[in-house]
């Protein structure tokens, strides 16, 4: 996924969540909408913002790794 696509998908996701008719929609429905319609949001996408989102996702995955427990003697 390119940074521009990531930014456009985020814009689509936020737009979907902010629509009054989608108040009861689940996060999965919002993600599906974003995956299907991200190209329509390209005019509002910013490549730098997409790079930031990708960097944040990478940090989140890194922090989610289990930490090895070291026994103290």
């Amino acid at each position: 996924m390119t940074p521009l696509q990531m930014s456009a998908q985020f814009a689509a996701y936020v737009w979907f969540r902010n629509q009054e008719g989608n108040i009861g929609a689940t996060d999965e429905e919002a993600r599906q909408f974003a995956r299907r319609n991200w190209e329509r949001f390209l005019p509002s996408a910013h490549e730098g913002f997409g790079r930031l989102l990708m960097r944040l996702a990478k940090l989140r995955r890194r922090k989610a790794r289990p930490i090895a427990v070291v026994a103290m003697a």
Side-chain angles (χ1 to χ4, degrees):
M1 178 179 300
T2 67
L4 200 55
Q5 182 181 354
M6 173 70 82
S7 180
Q9 277 193 6
F10 183 73
Y13 176 86
V14 170
W15 181 87
F16 182 87
R17 297 300 286 173
N18 287 333
Q19 295 302 303
E20 286 186 32
N22 299 328
I23 290 176
T26 64
D27 269 351
E28 182 57 34
E29 290 172 314
R31 285 190 293 268
Q32 287 176 2
F33 175 84
R35 282 190 294 265
R36 283 193 314 265
N37 299 291
W38 66 270
E39 291 169 329
R40 295 180 184 182
F41 292 83
L42 276 173
S44 62
H46 188 275
E47 188 174 356
F49 185 65
R51 280 195 298 266
L52 175 64
L53 290 172
M54 293 174 91
R55 187 176 300 161
L56 290 173
K58 187 177 180 180
L59 288 173
R60 184 177 235 186
R61 282 192 303 264
R62 205 179 298 159
K63 287 182 179 181
R65 291 185 200 160
I67 299 172
V69 177
V70 177
M72 300 291 282

